[in-house]
Amino acid sequence: MDKAAVFLALALLAPAPALAQRAQAELACTPTRTDYIYDCIIRLTRGGQPLPGARITVGADMPSMPMAHNVKPVKATPGKIPGEYRAKPALEMLGEWAVTLRLGGPVQDHLILLYEC
């Protein structure tokens, strides 16, 4: 077996650290007293552990109405516990939303979560 084949075999068998370290997110939102404004809690983890120190921008759009309802992105703020963040997006109307989380800081990522309000 030549060196290139050995290298390729080792590369395919080696664990993929980038995939193992991908951020995971949970989203829980409740309506506020202002119509269509939601108080959202985002819980970020990476490798099963809380992910503190992230910079998160939260945006949303309606998959059923492409280009019609794009929510202005808002910045999330750190919550009360490590890996928890809060944001108040204005979701414009009831329905299914694709909530976009753009992460910066200790991990760079882009996550999309579906939310029904």
Side-chain angles (χ1 to χ4, degrees):
M1 189 180 282
D2 67 0
K3 289 181 183 180
V6 170
F7 178 76
L8 179 60
L10 290 173
L12 292 174
L13 293 174
L19 294 176
Q21 297 301 314
R22 180 124 197 231
Q24 301 291 315
E26 293 178 14
L27 177 69
C29 298
T30 55
T32 65
R33 292 182 182 203
T34 305
D35 287 344
Y36 306 116
I37 303 291
Y38 289 81
D39 186 11
C40 296
I41 297 174
I42 302 156
R43 289 188 179 88
L44 285 182
T45 58
R46 183 173 61 175
Q49 299 299 312
L51 181 59
R55 291 184 314 275
I56 304 173
T57 303
V58 181
D61 63 73
M62 292 192 91
S64 63
M65 297 182 192
M67 306 296 286
H69 295 283
N70 292 313
V71 171
K72 181 180 177 183
V74 296
K75 291 186 180 188
T77 58
K80 295 179 181 179
I81 61 174
E84 181 182 274
Y85 303 86
R86 298 184 79 103
K88 290 191 176 183
L91 296 182
E92 298 180 358
M93 65 183 294
L94 300 177
E96 182 181 54
W97 289 88
V99 178
T100 303
L101 306 177
R102 295 198 182 270
L103 309 181
V107 64
Q108 304 285 317
D109 212 337
H110 178 204
L111 305 172
I112 299 173
L113 307 169
L114 294 179
Y115 178 73
E116 180 87 26
C117 60

